Amino acid sequence: MRAVGRNVLRKDGVSKVTGAARYIDDLTFPNLLYGRTIRSTIPAGEIAGVHLNFDTAGFTIVDYRDIAGRNIVALIEDDQPCLAEREIRHVAEPILLLAHADRERLLAADVQIDYRASTPNYDPAASAITFKTITIDKGDLDRGFAAADRIVEGEYRVGHQEQLYIEPNGVIAVPGPDGPGGDEGGIVIYGSMQCPYYVHRAITVLLDLPDDHVRIIQTETGGGFGGKEEYPSMIAGHAALLARKARRPVKIIYDRVEDMLATTKRHPGIIRHRTGVTRDGRLTAMEIDVLLDGGAYATLSAVVLSRGVIHASGPYRCDHIRVRGRATMTNTPPNGAFRGFGAPQTQFATEVHMDRIADALGLDPVRVRDINALRPGDTTATGQRLGRDCSARQVLREAVARTDFTRRRKALAGSNRGIGLSLFFHGSGFTGGGEVKLASKAALALTERGARILVASTEIGQGTRTMHAQIVADTLGVPYDCIDVNAADTGEVPNSGPTVASRTCMIVGRILQRCAEDMRARLGAMTPRQYLRAHGPLVVTKEYEKPSDITWDDSSYRGDAYGSYGWACDVVEVEVDRDTWQATPVAFTTVHEIGKAIHPMLAKGQIEGGSAQGIGYALIEEVVMRDGRMANGQLTNYTIPTTLDTPAIEVVMLENPYKHGPFGAKGVGEMPIDGPAPAVINALRHAGFDLREIPATPEKIMRARSASPEQRRPSAERESLRSSARSGSELGVGPQRAK
Amino acid sequence: MRGSISNRRLFEPRSLRDALRMLRDEGPLVPMAGCTDLYVSLNFGTLKDTRFLNLWRLDALRKIETRGAGVSIGALATHTNIMRSALVGKRLPMLAAACREIGGVQIQNRGTLGGNVANASPAGDTLPVLAAADAVVVLASAGGIRRVPFTAFYTGYRRSVMRPDELIVAFDIPAVHGRQWFRKVGTRAAQAISKVVMAACDDDRPRIAVGSVGPTVVRLPRTEAALASGASIADARRTLVDEITPIDDLRSTAEYRRRVAANLLARCLTEFGMS
Amino acid sequence: MPITLTINGTRTRITAHPMTRLLDVLREDCGLTGTKEGCGEGECGACTVLLDGVPVNSCLVPLAQADGTHVATIEGLRGRHPLQRAFVEHGGAQCGICTPGMIMAAVALGRKPSMDAMRVGLAGNLCRCTGYWAIYRSIRSAAGASKR
């Protein structure tokens, strides 16, 4: 029986429901030491002195001088030190590492750091350091505005968001046996991570070791959502430095507070729109300004910005577009990858803005979207001509029909409920030329009963092992159960690139499919066993091949930004408590077009889970920064949705295959989080609460009560837009400035 | 976990008398009941105390029983015990409602009424109920028993009249004849810390208490007096706003707390049939 | 002084400080690493075990208070509980870190919990992957299976 399209049992299911699955904190090694990170307590300045106010016997102590290679966390820019030398750019910056066999003694060790403090900057708009600027230009903006009957402007703000995987970051570094001639040999690192080869590269650079002396093994990983994309390179570096100095295994597990205070979050942003529209609702010009707060170091800000600006004009056709994006430095812990990667921020703005455009014109929000939605043959902001797998209007129409949106919207008028929608898209795979640069590899080894998958793609809950095995099973023509999946161990698997960017199915899955096609051809009529007897071991390795119809020019930011896009529409109904301004999502429907659902249940799991995270992003997840430090860094105070906060989520999956995806599949992991926040804000606006920022906490909803339905008459819109823009800036409640 | 264990000492009384003697002779000791707050501090490394008294096995302090027309609830009764008590359901439903809104079931199964009171957080969910119901805190020491009105129990932020040699053993709650009302407004739908929490009853006159709007849970004597003398809901709202002292903190703002407290009062009074 | 408790049906003597967290006793002294730590503050429920049949956060229970009790962990279900199979079949487990605690909390809901009972009874267990509805479907399905 074919596996693709069926809900086969997930490969890691049994071990997870029995408690047998081993996560990093479940592992131990003989002679294990525990590691601890001493961090800065100021947001900006210099280290003036380090005092060890404890008996150092039995301790391993590491600072930057112990680094044999380069003191950087190697990623894109080389600006972030693994251990601070002198300059401090943010609270919780690592300075010193301690290890000890006894955890109580380790925790009791008192280290005092003296600082020369300097003045921190928390305002991304006022930053002197810009990590990246990107401009996308399409058509002629002046011509576009000249053709407009109306111009609608708006400024929108989004806050930090914490990934909040339930398993905090953790690694164990195990030094290898000393090599001949007394050299220190290699190192093996086990850990909770998304990207073993990112860690691999970071460790070779940090320790100045050849590639084959470093081995990274992913352990069962309790959620990532981007939060374990780049940060594990840091913590792995720390454990490796301690382990090499101590010549003993070292385990570092963050507790929840350290994880929240020190590790990356979603970039906060300020996005401005200025849009020309005709009286009948056609977009003639879109001018969009995107500012992302990168935090103290560049980490992935450049690529987050890239995805952000490419998605900033939404799934809409418009001949004249300019998007200017900027990511700047502030004295807060670095922001980084989080599911959606810039697209949730910019599409929040676009979709809230689209409702304001509809209001300004006195048009129905569905109509405005339908007129402007991208169709096959249209071009995106980067000039990418869309193929037949463009489904923007289909998802919109399906969602509107399913929810009886238009009638419902009329029925709720004047009540304490509102209904809103968002139309959005998400590119699968690395942006622009990223996949060509990555040149990912995947391999398939023939086994007696079938094949073993060798990829560095990690299982972090989304179903990598299962989905890959389905693709291989059907392509090879063997049952799903005959496919094994190797651990993501750099000692055994090729570099398949990182497990990010909705690429694991569409990109890596496709490479694996090609491996399986090749293997099947070689097998001919033979069974795997017969082949192995006759010819010996067989491993097929393939590298990413760019489809010939994809072109990209990074200097002009023109071309096919992504191989394909998923398309989606969310409809949410929100009830606002008249006494407390608490907004409760009471009904949620999402329509996702994802090419092909390899495993419908897993795909639905991604959509439900991503939508729930998006609801949290919209309403309750607020990082309170005070003096550059997350002031609410515990689960009691940074609240994510519980069972009672999560509405029933109706998921509709449409399939419009992508010709270069395995069995037509596109990516699905990230897209679900792009839509809920603007749909919720649009629903709140329909209920009479005019907001332009998230999270929409009751405190903000209370103060936002200005847009009563009467005030939202078309004639009043321009004026009310201006006045609420003023009150928006008076509120000044961008999270980076929150008290 | 950031706290260390090995330097701590735990005393294990077999009876209440035992416990009170230990408090007198070995004190100061930190009483340990359901540990749902204490162990959070231990985990965070913020717990400085080193000597503890384990009350958990003192089952005599877990009783929920009638006391005249009212109820007596042992300090070690858990939130689950209280929620499930038919007696509480009948005589003091607002307390059951408060317990239902505390934490998740795991916390309800361990956290105790005595612990909620002793922890003395102004956001404690059961506290407005005890205040509105004119509960009496029964304190025991080796020297004997003393009874303190709940409204006189707290003296300031996380401070109370309880002496280090005393334990809370029970709460005596007189009969409430009128309607009862409870509402918690938290940071999310479940497992939340209160931003405003209100309990009220309208016995012969309205009695209203609010949490999270000042350094301690408060009764609203001026608002109650105004209502008793026939004030309108609008007047009562204004009096309440003058009577509470909320602040901005991590979870909410003073303005929000003030406006929500006023709205809750209005909602409660409307449900009580006032105008 | 050793403390005796019954863990998954086996009487066990533990020699550890009486204030040791039950979570650490299970994971480190007993090697039962199926019980997870997600926060150490009683919020996430990943460390949920049944203590005398009721769910508790084992990160907030001192060993002394478990003296003489019966503790049930995910390992005690031995892979044979209908909920375990159902969580695999219906997508109740994704990353799996909340799963043992979630299943133990679900066990305490009894045979055929109502939707309301599930939502209230699992409000102390955070899951960041699923959005919870696949968990309800799993529990519902197990309820159907156990009826047969």
Side-chain angles (χ1 to χ4, degrees), chain A residues 549-565:
Chain A
D549 50 354
I550 295 181
T551 60
W552 175 257
D553 177 12
D554 208 51
S555 57
S556 64
Y557 248 67
R558 307 294 301 157
D560 302 310
Y562 301 96
S564 183
Y565 298 83

PDB file of all heavy atoms in Angstrom, chain A residues 549-565:
ATOM      1  N   ASP A 549      14.094  26.416 -14.225  1.00  0.00           N
ATOM      2  CA  ASP A 549      13.233  27.589 -14.416  1.00  0.00           C
ATOM      3  C   ASP A 549      13.278  28.569 -13.237  1.00  0.00           C
ATOM      4  O   ASP A 549      12.528  29.523 -13.193  1.00  0.00           O
ATOM      5  CB  ASP A 549      11.788  27.147 -14.692  1.00  0.00           C
ATOM      6  CG  ASP A 549      11.270  26.132 -13.678  1.00  0.00           C
ATOM      7  OD1 ASP A 549      12.075  25.677 -12.821  1.00  0.00           O
ATOM      8  OD2 ASP A 549      10.078  25.794 -13.726  1.00  0.00           O
ATOM      9  N   ILE A 550      14.156  28.345 -12.278  1.00  0.00           N
ATOM     10  CA  ILE A 550      14.274  29.276 -11.153  1.00  0.00           C
ATOM     11  C   ILE A 550      15.505  30.157 -11.344  1.00  0.00           C
ATOM     12  O   ILE A 550      16.615  29.649 -11.527  1.00  0.00           O
ATOM     13  CB  ILE A 550      14.410  28.512  -9.808  1.00  0.00           C
ATOM     14  CG1 ILE A 550      13.125  27.741  -9.515  1.00  0.00           C
ATOM     15  CG2 ILE A 550      14.728  29.464  -8.669  1.00  0.00           C
ATOM     16  CD1 ILE A 550      13.153  26.976  -8.212  1.00  0.00           C
ATOM     17  N   THR A 551      15.301  31.477 -11.310  1.00  0.00           N
ATOM     18  CA  THR A 551      16.452  32.383 -11.398  1.00  0.00           C
ATOM     19  C   THR A 551      16.350  33.427 -10.299  1.00  0.00           C
ATOM     20  O   THR A 551      15.249  33.817  -9.894  1.00  0.00           O
ATOM     21  CB  THR A 551      16.490  33.124 -12.744  1.00  0.00           C
ATOM     22  OG1 THR A 551      15.291  33.892 -12.880  1.00  0.00           O
ATOM     23  CG2 THR A 551      16.608  32.164 -13.914  1.00  0.00           C
ATOM     24  N   TRP A 552      17.485  33.881  -9.849  1.00  0.00           N
ATOM     25  CA  TRP A 552      17.495  34.881  -8.768  1.00  0.00           C
ATOM     26  C   TRP A 552      18.740  35.738  -8.888  1.00  0.00           C
ATOM     27  O   TRP A 552      19.840  35.217  -9.132  1.00  0.00           O
ATOM     28  CB  TRP A 552      17.466  34.191  -7.408  1.00  0.00           C
ATOM     29  CG  TRP A 552      17.599  35.169  -6.269  1.00  0.00           C
ATOM     30  CD1 TRP A 552      18.709  35.423  -5.504  1.00  0.00           C
ATOM     31  CD2 TRP A 552      16.582  36.056  -5.783  1.00  0.00           C
ATOM     32  NE1 TRP A 552      18.439  36.386  -4.584  1.00  0.00           N
ATOM     33  CE2 TRP A 552      17.142  36.796  -4.729  1.00  0.00           C
ATOM     34  CE3 TRP A 552      15.239  36.285  -6.150  1.00  0.00           C
ATOM     35  CZ2 TRP A 552      16.417  37.763  -4.025  1.00  0.00           C
ATOM     36  CZ3 TRP A 552      14.528  37.241  -5.446  1.00  0.00           C
ATOM     37  CH2 TRP A 552      15.102  37.960  -4.394  1.00  0.00           C
ATOM     38  N   ASP A 553      18.557  37.045  -8.741  1.00  0.00           N
ATOM     39  CA  ASP A 553      19.695  37.956  -8.731  1.00  0.00           C
ATOM     40  C   ASP A 553      19.728  38.678  -7.386  1.00  0.00           C
ATOM     41  O   ASP A 553      18.866  39.509  -7.097  1.00  0.00           O
ATOM     42  CB  ASP A 553      19.568  38.958  -9.879  1.00  0.00           C
ATOM     43  CG  ASP A 553      20.720  39.972  -9.842  1.00  0.00           C
ATOM     44  OD1 ASP A 553      21.692  39.743  -9.092  1.00  0.00           O
ATOM     45  OD2 ASP A 553      20.619  40.994 -10.538  1.00  0.00           O
ATOM     46  N   ASP A 554      20.706  38.341  -6.591  1.00  0.00           N
ATOM     47  CA  ASP A 554      20.749  38.846  -5.229  1.00  0.00           C
ATOM     48  C   ASP A 554      21.075  40.346  -5.173  1.00  0.00           C
ATOM     49  O   ASP A 554      20.675  41.028  -4.240  1.00  0.00           O
ATOM     50  CB  ASP A 554      21.775  38.058  -4.411  1.00  0.00           C
ATOM     51  CG  ASP A 554      21.414  38.043  -2.933  1.00  0.00           C
ATOM     52  OD1 ASP A 554      20.258  37.696  -2.621  1.00  0.00           O
ATOM     53  OD2 ASP A 554      22.273  38.409  -2.115  1.00  0.00           O
ATOM     54  N   SER A 555      21.802  40.839  -6.189  1.00  0.00           N
ATOM     55  CA  SER A 555      22.191  42.254  -6.135  1.00  0.00           C
ATOM     56  C   SER A 555      20.979  43.151  -6.389  1.00  0.00           C
ATOM     57  O   SER A 555      20.833  44.190  -5.759  1.00  0.00           O
ATOM     58  CB  SER A 555      23.304  42.539  -7.146  1.00  0.00           C
ATOM     59  OG  SER A 555      22.867  42.160  -8.434  1.00  0.00           O
ATOM     60  N   SER A 556      20.090  42.738  -7.271  1.00  0.00           N
ATOM     61  CA  SER A 556      18.912  43.576  -7.553  1.00  0.00           C
ATOM     62  C   SER A 556      17.670  43.111  -6.803  1.00  0.00           C
ATOM     63  O   SER A 556      16.641  43.765  -6.829  1.00  0.00           O
ATOM     64  CB  SER A 556      18.622  43.568  -9.061  1.00  0.00           C
ATOM     65  OG  SER A 556      18.281  42.247  -9.470  1.00  0.00           O
ATOM     66  N   TYR A 557      17.807  41.988  -6.083  1.00  0.00           N
ATOM     67  CA  TYR A 557      16.655  41.380  -5.421  1.00  0.00           C
ATOM     68  C   TYR A 557      15.498  41.127  -6.392  1.00  0.00           C
ATOM     69  O   TYR A 557      14.338  41.392  -6.105  1.00  0.00           O
ATOM     70  CB  TYR A 557      16.196  42.221  -4.214  1.00  0.00           C
ATOM     71  CG  TYR A 557      16.471  41.483  -2.918  1.00  0.00           C
ATOM     72  CD1 TYR A 557      17.769  41.242  -2.513  1.00  0.00           C
ATOM     73  CD2 TYR A 557      15.437  40.982  -2.137  1.00  0.00           C
ATOM     74  CE1 TYR A 557      18.047  40.544  -1.356  1.00  0.00           C
ATOM     75  CE2 TYR A 557      15.695  40.277  -0.974  1.00  0.00           C
ATOM     76  CZ  TYR A 557      17.005  40.061  -0.594  1.00  0.00           C
ATOM     77  OH  TYR A 557      17.277  39.350   0.553  1.00  0.00           O
ATOM     78  N   ARG A 558      15.840  40.640  -7.554  1.00  0.00           N
ATOM     79  CA  ARG A 558      14.835  40.325  -8.559  1.00  0.00           C
ATOM     80  C   ARG A 558      14.872  38.831  -8.852  1.00  0.00           C
ATOM     81  O   ARG A 558      15.949  38.224  -8.856  1.00  0.00           O
ATOM     82  CB  ARG A 558      15.090  41.073  -9.874  1.00  0.00           C
ATOM     83  CG  ARG A 558      15.260  42.563  -9.763  1.00  0.00           C
ATOM     84  CD  ARG A 558      14.008  43.284  -9.303  1.00  0.00           C
ATOM     85  NE  ARG A 558      12.857  43.077 -10.188  1.00  0.00           N
ATOM     86  CZ  ARG A 558      11.590  43.226  -9.797  1.00  0.00           C
ATOM     87  NH1 ARG A 558      11.303  43.538  -8.562  1.00  0.00           N
ATOM     88  NH2 ARG A 558      10.598  43.037 -10.650  1.00  0.00           N
ATOM     89  N   GLY A 559      13.717  38.302  -9.134  1.00  0.00           N
ATOM     90  CA  GLY A 559      13.670  36.926  -9.586  1.00  0.00           C
ATOM     91  C   GLY A 559      12.787  36.055  -8.715  1.00  0.00           C
ATOM     92  O   GLY A 559      11.885  36.539  -8.022  1.00  0.00           O
ATOM     93  N   ASP A 560      13.067  34.751  -8.763  1.00  0.00           N
ATOM     94  CA  ASP A 560      12.235  33.770  -8.065  1.00  0.00           C
ATOM     95  C   ASP A 560      12.724  33.631  -6.631  1.00  0.00           C
ATOM     96  O   ASP A 560      13.679  32.894  -6.355  1.00  0.00           O
ATOM     97  CB  ASP A 560      12.301  32.425  -8.800  1.00  0.00           C
ATOM     98  CG  ASP A 560      11.847  32.572 -10.247  1.00  0.00           C
ATOM     99  OD1 ASP A 560      10.770  33.152 -10.462  1.00  0.00           O
ATOM    100  OD2 ASP A 560      12.579  32.138 -11.166  1.00  0.00           O
ATOM    101  N   ALA A 561      12.073  34.354  -5.747  1.00  0.00           N
ATOM    102  CA  ALA A 561      12.528  34.378  -4.351  1.00  0.00           C
ATOM    103  C   ALA A 561      12.432  32.990  -3.718  1.00  0.00           C
ATOM    104  O   ALA A 561      13.252  32.618  -2.881  1.00  0.00           O
ATOM    105  CB  ALA A 561      11.709  35.390  -3.569  1.00  0.00           C
ATOM    106  N   TYR A 562      11.430  32.236  -4.105  1.00  0.00           N
ATOM    107  CA  TYR A 562      11.250  30.875  -3.585  1.00  0.00           C
ATOM    108  C   TYR A 562      10.796  29.974  -4.722  1.00  0.00           C
ATOM    109  O   TYR A 562      10.134  30.432  -5.657  1.00  0.00           O
ATOM    110  CB  TYR A 562      10.200  30.853  -2.460  1.00  0.00           C
ATOM    111  CG  TYR A 562      10.576  31.744  -1.312  1.00  0.00           C
ATOM    112  CD1 TYR A 562      10.075  33.035  -1.213  1.00  0.00           C
ATOM    113  CD2 TYR A 562      11.477  31.310  -0.338  1.00  0.00           C
ATOM    114  CE1 TYR A 562      10.451  33.880  -0.179  1.00  0.00           C
ATOM    115  CE2 TYR A 562      11.864  32.140   0.707  1.00  0.00           C
ATOM    116  CZ  TYR A 562      11.349  33.432   0.778  1.00  0.00           C
ATOM    117  OH  TYR A 562      11.741  34.256   1.801  1.00  0.00           O
ATOM    118  N   GLY A 563      11.114  28.712  -4.603  1.00  0.00           N
ATOM    119  CA  GLY A 563      10.654  27.765  -5.616  1.00  0.00           C
ATOM    120  C   GLY A 563       9.137  27.742  -5.689  1.00  0.00           C
ATOM    121  O   GLY A 563       8.545  27.693  -6.763  1.00  0.00           O
ATOM    122  N   SER A 564       8.531  27.772  -4.520  1.00  0.00           N
ATOM    123  CA  SER A 564       7.072  27.741  -4.503  1.00  0.00           C
ATOM    124  C   SER A 564       6.561  28.405  -3.235  1.00  0.00           C
ATOM    125  O   SER A 564       7.318  28.643  -2.287  1.00  0.00           O
ATOM    126  CB  SER A 564       6.574  26.292  -4.560  1.00  0.00           C
ATOM    127  OG  SER A 564       5.165  26.281  -4.617  1.00  0.00           O
ATOM    128  N   TYR A 565       5.277  28.693  -3.246  1.00  0.00           N
ATOM    129  CA  TYR A 565       4.621  29.304  -2.092  1.00  0.00           C
ATOM    130  C   TYR A 565       3.421  28.462  -1.678  1.00  0.00           C
ATOM    131  O   TYR A 565       2.705  27.923  -2.515  1.00  0.00           O
ATOM    132  CB  TYR A 565       4.104  30.710  -2.427  1.00  0.00           C
ATOM    133  CG  TYR A 565       5.189  31.694  -2.805  1.00  0.00           C
ATOM    134  CD1 TYR A 565       5.680  31.746  -4.106  1.00  0.00           C
ATOM    135  CD2 TYR A 565       5.722  32.565  -1.861  1.00  0.00           C
ATOM    136  CE1 TYR A 565       6.672  32.649  -4.450  1.00  0.00           C
ATOM    137  CE2 TYR A 565       6.708  33.474  -2.204  1.00  0.00           C
ATOM    138  CZ  TYR A 565       7.185  33.516  -3.502  1.00  0.00           C
ATOM    139  OH  TYR A 565       8.174  34.399  -3.841  1.00  0.00           O
TER     140      TYR A 565
END
